[in-house]
Amino acid sequence: MQNYEGSIAQKLKELQVDDSVGLSAKQIAKNREVCGRNILIKTKTHTGKTALFFSQFKSALMIILIVAGLISGALGEYVDMTVILVTAFFNVIIGYVQESKANDALDKLSKMITYKVLVLRDGKRVLVESTDLVPGDMLILEAGSKIQADARIVEAVECSANESALTGESEPVSKHTKELSGTVAVGDRSNMLHSGTVLQSGTAKAVVVATGSETEIGKIATLVKDTTDDDTPLQQQLAKLSKSLGILIVFISIGIFAIGMLFAEPGDRTFVHMFETAVSVAVAAIPEGLAISLTVILAIGMRFILKRRSLVRKLVAAETLGSVSVICTDKTGTITEGKMRVTHMLTAEETLDKTDIEHLSPKRKAHADAVLALRIGILANDGSIDQKSSDDIARWEYVGDTTDIALIYAGAHAGMNKFTLDDSSPRLATIPFTSKRKYMASLHQVGQANSMYIKGAPERILAVSTHVEIGGERKKLTDAARKEWQERMDRLTDRGLRLIGIAYKDVKNKGQLDESDVGSLTLVAIVALSDPLRSDVKETLKVARHAGIKIAMITGDHVKTAAAIGKQVGLSDGKIFDGAQLEHMTDEELRAAVPHVSIFARVDPVHKIRIVRAFQSLGEVVAMTGDGVNDAPALKGADIGVALGSGTDVAKETADMVLLDDGFSTIVASIEEGRTIYQNIKKVVLYLLSGSFAEVILITGSIVGGFPVAALPAQILWINLVEDAFPNIALAFDKGDKENMSDKPRKKSEKLIDKEMKTMIILKSIVANIILFALFVWFYKTTGDIDKTRTIVFVGFGIDALFYIFSIRSLRHMIWQYNPFNNKYLLLAVGFGWLMLIAAVHAPVLQFFLKTVPLTLGEWGIMLAFGLSNVILIEAVKWVFLVRNHKKVI
Ligand code: ADP
Ligand code: MG
């Protein structure tokens, strides 16, 4: 029999589980023994290690090198062949190490999101890791939960699931508890919930029937990748640049070969020598490192962001973060702590404060209305308690919506435990809370009769209340009384408190609920909740403003509540908008309005996406926070979708970034890191490209000028593949300039390599080459020793980068305005470079391969001066283009 066939009772019996108790510890252990842990064999998101190693050989650079090595060998140039192949191999290793490090880092990040599942075990609701689920476990699910195993639905309310991950169907399918029979396709098994899919709406209780590879998705074996990492815009930009530069350089190399064969010194003018020279120049100039450096910087940047409590899920987000110009943030939990507590209560006859509420007790006669209100608040409530073993109310783990938890918490203080109440007044039906509906209702069996309990936004409740509870009696709600209630409520809203109306309705012979039942209610009380502001929000808002980032607070709360909070944190400069207003506006009107709005109140989740689009159409880069299922479209639509760590699984899966601590400050901190990342990318590109053309000019110059070729192939390879291997990566560890958060956000359309950078690259290449060429001519003319002269040029190439990299570390300040030596990775990389350079000149083995000769101290001195001159050069260009102008910083 299939899992969807037969009655629920049969299924439960088969699994030996009582749906109101769940499995016992013993059963769990036994089932785990049989079925194993609930894990899927995940298809690798990245290429495996071996494949990654071999993929290094696929690059154009490698192919050129290997072919060149083989040709040299075939022509009997074994020394050259060895050098070429060894450097090629070295390059493969470095490429491999870098790429696998980056991949590991990304993998680790993607594994950081673990899913906790609420289940019923031994009569208690407990949160367990999704990998701990076993068949027979009773899942308690609410809208937004990710389904972690295949399960048969036992109870369902307004339940629908999005099964696109499994069936490809993107519309949610509705789910129920009815029996099915015969052969039913997976997509039509409407009484089942499947692993890998998501509960889109409603609530459900379901019994696990299959875990791990036994689930439908497990059978397909290939788990749909959660994060598809397409190339980011910058990666694409750089790939394109690499490619066009590559083609250009190949032409230049062919040119060098042709010129060499025609004009070079007779001694140099052999096929093999000119061929190797042309190849080496190509190798030197092709900026192969660009693409991988970018990935490494992004991956390392993501680690830095993680240190600041936010998890970036996609490479592209790490790149976009720095350009965010608008943050649309939730209020609850992000601006505030999200630890809602009941602080006041209004009943018809009383106004209770916090202490009064703490001293409520169902045992005493006093405050009967308030006690009833609490009771309703606890029953019409989808939160739950994971009681653990402790007796200490404060230490229990509360699960669910913050509003719900606040009421359960207040109840627990008054000695009204949700378990006991749920037991004595069992729930028969529910209308779940949605942000659109703004209330929730539940039907309970109270003694012989049934009652509908309801809590929600006060104006909704008040609008459909006809009566009011006064001292335990139901009285007509007069217009005068209505007005008085409103005034009392306003006083609380003005203080930034969140209000919940509480009401009931006695119904007879009813087992079902729908929205039409919500009418003729008896109002019992208005509960006021407060959610303290996060202490650092005010400061962070200032930082964000200073950084040119616009902040808009979005909340489902009442306009007045929102305004009061806005005032407290300093968000009161803009207009306040309410959702109803938004409803009547066209997209154009909204676009004209959004720049002036700082608070959107009483907003439905559907409005969020319109707000995002409105900002985007103004050219803004928008970060939008969200936690619910309904937030998913907005999270997807925003440039950076930010899910709260406490939010639903769906929100986290859709988002680009997850705030582990929910805090607003974390968003701003991440943006700051994002700006650093972008700055580091620019620095690396500048560094790599400035070095790129050095050899091209010098070598062409020496041939055309009738000199021996200025550098030998082996030397060029050594410089490019050994000397320059590490420093660029070390730049990824640079901390950003302090001033990064005083810039305006970068424009979406901004080019990575702008005019200033181009000029810097060209000027640097030309001037450095002229100096080095002069040195070359002078040394050759005075000594006539070509080996010595080439060694000088060789050291010149090598030393160059080891100096000016310190200059490139900040493009905002002159080198003496910052400490150029405070990046230990860079010091290590440069140290390694020095070691290799000195070894290349003074170690006999390397002298043999590289045809170098030892230099005297005086000659080293000259080369040091040359290195320093490069720093001066870069500093001068920096000063002209960046520091002096103040207008542009990298
Ligand atoms: P927010 O985005 O600020 O969390 P919501 O859309 O969740 O806003 O809530 C809107 C209004 O609905 C609240 O002001 C409150 O009056 C009411 N409300 C919120 N949560 C609940 C709940 N769990 N049960 C009943 N009413 C609620
Ligand atoms: Mg909410």
Side-chain angles (χ1 to χ4, degrees):
M1 196 165 68
Q2 295 285 343
N3 285 321
Y4 53 82
E5 288 178 299
S7 69
I8 295 170
Q10 270 173 311
K11 199 77 235 166
L12 292 171
K13 197 161 160 235
E14 192 182 306
L15 291 159
Q16 298 177 347
V17 58
D18 178 337
D19 65 332
S20 56
V21 179
L23 295 174
S24 66
K26 229 188 190 157
Q27 280 176 303
I28 295 165
K30 203 179 98 203
N31 292 0
R32 168 121 0 101
E33 188 99 341
V34 181
C35 304
R37 297 177 69 75
N38 179 30
I39 35 179
L40 287 176
I41 304 140
K42 205 170 177 174
T43 49
K44 281 252 160 65
T45 40
H46 303 293
T47 32
K49 298 269 163 181
T50 345
L52 186 65
F53 181 79
F54 285 108
S55 76
Q56 301 298 321
F57 291 96
K58 272 193 222 140
S59 75
L61 179 76
M62 271 309 122
I63 294 168
I64 295 179
L65 276 178
I66 289 167
V67 171
L70 295 181
I71 292 181
S72 305
L75 294 172
E77 302 282 337
Y78 297 115
V79 175
D80 285 351
M81 181 185 81
T82 318
V83 173
I84 294 175
L85 293 184
V86 165
T87 40
F89 187 70
F90 189 75
N91 201 43
V92 164
I93 300 285
I94 294 202
Y96 168 77
V97 170
Q98 285 176 355
E99 210 163 319
S100 67
K101 273 256 147 64
N103 285 354
D104 286 350
L106 295 178
D107 275 346
K108 230 186 247 151
L109 290 176
S110 70
K111 278 195 199 110
M112 283 204 49
I113 303 182
T114 55
Y115 292 102
K116 294 258 190 183
V117 192
L118 189 64
V119 293
L120 195 61
R121 285 180 172 179
D122 259 340
K124 281 188 192 145
R125 288 172 170 222
V126 285
L127 275 175
V128 300
E129 294 265 339
S130 63
T131 49
D132 280 346
L133 287 178
V134 294
D137 261 329
M138 299 299 309
L139 302 176
I140 316 276
L141 302 161
E142 56 174 13
S145 304
K146 182 158 189 204
I147 319 288
Q148 302 288 355
D150 284 3
R152 173 77 183 265
I153 303 172
V154 177
E155 287 167 20
V157 181
E158 292 186 4
C159 196
S160 74
N162 185 328
E163 303 193 319
S164 57
L166 183 63
T167 60
E169 168 62 53
S170 58
E171 283 298 306
V173 283
S174 73
K175 295 283 178 181
H176 53 71
T177 51
K178 295 189 201 93
E179 238 171 87
L180 297 171
S181 60
T183 313
V184 182
V186 176
D188 298 325
R189 293 179 190 166
S190 45
N191 60 8
M192 296 278 299
L193 292 171
H194 293 109
S195 180
T197 67
V198 162
L199 199 70
Q200 184 76 22
S201 66
T203 53
K205 193 164 160 188
V207 62
V208 173
V209 294
T211 57
S213 50
E214 291 301 308
T215 59
E216 291 303 326
I217 203 154
K219 283 185 205 154
I220 307 172
T222 50
L223 180 61
V224 191
K225 269 197 293 177
D226 335 330
T227 46
T228 43
D229 259 334
D230 295 332
D231 278 352
T232 68
L234 275 188
Q235 279 175 325
Q236 286 165 13
Q237 227 186 82
L238 285 187
K240 226 168 87 192
L241 178 79
S242 288
K243 205 163 164 190
S244 35
L245 275 180
I247 293 172
L248 174 73
I249 287 157
V250 167
F251 276 109
I252 292 179
S253 301
I254 294 173
I256 288 183
F257 179 74
I259 295 172
M261 290 309 281
L262 291 175
F263 301 112
E265 288 249 293
D268 283 334
R269 210 192 297 161
T270 62
F271 174 80
V272 65
H273 189 70
M274 285 330 300
F275 172 73
E276 283 176 356
T277 306
V279 165
S280 314
V281 168
V283 170
I286 295 175
E288 275 285 323
L290 274 186
I292 176 69
S293 304
L294 179 62
T295 316
V296 171
I297 294 176
L298 291 176
I300 290 175
M302 282 156 88
R303 245 173 49 204
F304 281 128
I305 296 176
L306 185 62
K307 277 206 191 122
R308 304 186 73 164
R309 313 276 312 130
S310 115
L311 180 74
V312 175
R313 300 185 60 244
K314 294 169 190 168
L315 268 189
V316 62
E319 184 178 298
T320 315
L321 252 180
S323 62
V324 166
S325 60
V326 174
I327 305 175
C328 297
T329 170
D330 277 334
K331 174 178 73 66
T332 313
T334 308
I335 299 273
T336 64
E337 282 185 9
K339 284 207 189 78
M340 207 83 80
R341 291 289 176 253
V342 176
T343 56
H344 296 82
M345 204 193 274
L346 308 177
T347 62
E349 293 176 312
E350 297 180 296
T351 299
L352 292 85
D353 65 15
K354 208 164 171 208
T355 1
D356 298 333
I357 296 165
E358 273 166 15
H359 290 92
L360 285 177
S361 162
K363 296 199 188 87
R364 268 175 269 137
K365 268 217 124 86
H367 313 297
D369 296 342
V371 170
L372 175 64
L374 259 192
R375 180 185 147 81
I376 296 175
I378 296 166
L379 281 166
N381 189 314
D382 277 331
S384 59
I385 310 173
D386 185 349
Q387 207 168 347
K388 306 273 180 220
S389 46
S390 158
D391 277 341
D392 183 358
I393 298 169
R395 285 176 56 191
W396 291 350
E397 200 171 324
Y398 297 85
V399 189
D401 182 85
T402 48
T403 307
D404 281 347
I405 292 173
L407 286 160
I408 296 180
Y409 191 81
H413 273 283
M416 297 161 80
N417 194 321
K418 183 155 168 70
F419 299 130
T420 2
L421 284 185
D422 279 341
D423 272 350
S424 61
S425 312
R427 194 191 277 194
L428 305 172
T430 316
I431 301 176
F433 175 82
T434 65
S435 290
K436 184 149 179 54
R437 201 178 269 147
K438 294 196 170 46
Y439 66 80
M440 82 162 280
S442 58
L443 185 65
H444 294 265
Q445 186 187 337
V446 187
Q448 292 310 312
N450 291 349
S451 284
M452 181 178 81
Y453 289 160
I454 177 164
K455 75 176 197 310
E459 71 266 26
R460 297 274 164 119
I461 302 292
L462 214 56
V464 289
S465 292
T466 49
H467 290 77
V468 58
E469 185 86 358
I470 304 178
E473 279 177 49
R474 195 163 162 264
K475 300 267 168 69
K476 199 132 187 82
L477 183 61
T478 62
D479 282 346
R482 208 179 272 277
K483 213 170 141 231
E484 200 195 318
W485 274 102
Q486 192 59 54
E487 279 160 14
R488 293 172 72 199
M489 275 159 46
D490 285 348
R491 279 198 288 276
L492 293 178
T493 332
D494 284 341
R495 291 163 57 182
L497 298 174
R498 161 180 277 212
L499 300 191
I500 303 281
I502 291 192
Y504 73 94
K505 177 182 179 179
D506 287 325
V507 283
K508 292 186 195 78
N509 322 322
K510 234 181 136 54
Q512 296 292 324
L513 270 191
D514 59 60
E515 294 196 29
S516 62
D517 294 317
V518 179
S520 319
L521 305 179
T522 306
L523 177 69
V524 182
I526 301 288
V527 177
L529 309 169
S530 101
D531 184 1
L533 290 181
R534 283 177 179 264
S535 56
D536 49 0
V537 164
K538 221 171 158 174
E539 252 336 284
T540 316
L541 268 171
K542 276 197 206 128
V543 174
R545 286 246 173 77
H546 194 55
I549 302 168
K550 181 183 166 60
I551 313 292
M553 182 171 91
I554 299 191
T555 171
D557 262 350
H558 196 276
V559 175
K560 282 192 174 163
T561 313
I565 303 265
K567 202 160 168 194
Q568 286 168 37
V569 292
L571 252 184
S572 44
D573 51 343
K575 288 197 193 119
I576 301 180
F577 235 66
D578 87 34
Q581 234 172 312
L582 224 151
E583 200 77 55
H584 296 117
M585 287 180 114
T586 64
D587 286 346
E588 282 73 52
E589 285 167 337
L590 185 60
R591 175 167 23 162
V594 286
H596 313 291
V597 179
S598 58
I599 297 174
F600 296 90
R602 273 293 185 249
V603 162
D604 292 344
V606 287
H607 297 142
K608 280 189 169 182
I609 182 72
R610 285 191 63 199
I611 297 172
V612 167
R613 296 237 173 86
F615 276 120
Q616 281 173 336
S617 67
L618 293 166
E620 307 281 7
V621 179
V622 186
M624 165 69 91
T625 65
D627 54 359
V629 206
N630 299 334
D631 291 334
L635 291 178
K636 213 177 193 123
D639 298 273
I640 300 278
V642 184
L644 307 190
S646 61
T648 57
D649 305 341
V650 189
K652 283 189 235 174
E653 285 217 334
T654 326
D656 303 291
M657 188 169 107
V658 180
L659 297 182
L660 300 179
D661 61 359
D662 289 2
F664 175 71
S665 306
T666 309
I667 309 177
V668 178
S670 310
I671 292 177
E672 186 182 347
E673 291 294 338
R675 290 187 174 192
T676 304
I677 290 176
Y678 188 72
Q679 192 175 44
N680 286 346
I681 293 174
K682 280 202 121 169
K683 292 196 291 200
V684 168
V685 170
L686 179 61
Y687 176 74
L688 287 178
L689 293 186
S690 320
S692 229
F693 286 95
E695 289 90 346
V696 179
I697 302 175
L698 194 65
I699 288 182
T700 323
S702 63
I703 297 175
V704 175
F707 297 99
V709 179
L712 296 175
Q715 296 171 344
I716 301 176
L717 292 178
W718 183 267
I719 295 293
N720 283 282
L721 301 180
V722 181
E723 292 295 323
D724 293 352
F726 298 110
N728 63 334
I729 297 303
L731 282 179
F733 290 92
D734 263 359
K735 302 263 175 295
D737 283 332
K738 271 200 256 8
E739 296 84 347
N740 281 355
M741 288 304 267
S742 15
D743 294 337
K744 293 271 157 286
R746 138 175 78 96
K747 286 268 172 306
K748 242 184 206 164
S749 54
E750 188 183 301
K751 282 255 171 18
L752 181 69
I753 305 179
D754 47 28
K755 217 171 74 222
E756 281 81 4
M757 232 165 105
K758 266 189 209 143
T759 321
M760 281 182 93
I761 292 168
I762 293 170
L763 263 180
K764 153 79 188 56
S765 302
I766 292 177
V767 178
N769 267 282
I770 289 175
I771 301 180
L772 202 53
F773 191 64
L775 272 176
F776 169 76
V777 174
W778 182 63
F779 259 91
Y780 187 60
K781 285 263 157 84
T782 49
T783 63
D785 178 351
I786 188 61
D787 282 342
K788 168 76 57 142
T789 311
R790 282 184 179 143
T791 308
I792 291 286
V793 170
F794 172 75
V795 171
F797 281 141
I799 229 169
D800 179 25
L802 300 180
F803 271 93
Y804 77 77
I805 194 160
F806 291 105
S807 236
I808 283 181
R809 285 197 58 205
S810 171
L811 297 173
R812 192 191 291 272
H813 297 291
M814 304 305 285
I815 194 163
W816 57 86
Q817 292 173 324
Y818 58 94
N819 175 1
F821 304 118
N822 62 1
N823 174 343
K824 63 171 190 272
Y825 297 97
L826 187 65
L827 292 185
L828 275 175
V830 169
F832 175 81
W834 273 108
L835 209 70
M836 285 297 147
L837 191 64
I838 293 170
V841 176
H842 292 285
V845 195
L846 292 176
Q847 285 171 354
F848 170 73
F849 280 109
L850 300 173
K851 302 205 177 64
T852 47
V853 292
L855 295 186
T856 63
L857 262 168
E859 285 157 351
W860 274 110
I862 294 176
M863 295 326 289
L864 286 181
F866 169 72
L868 274 176
S869 74
N870 274 295
V871 172
I872 295 169
L873 178 63
I874 295 263
E875 289 299 323
V877 179
K878 239 159 84 170
W879 186 73
V880 172
F881 284 105
L882 307 172
V883 182
R884 195 195 54 169
N885 285 344
H886 286 301
K887 73 179 204 337
K888 184 83 206 182
V889 267
I890 299 178

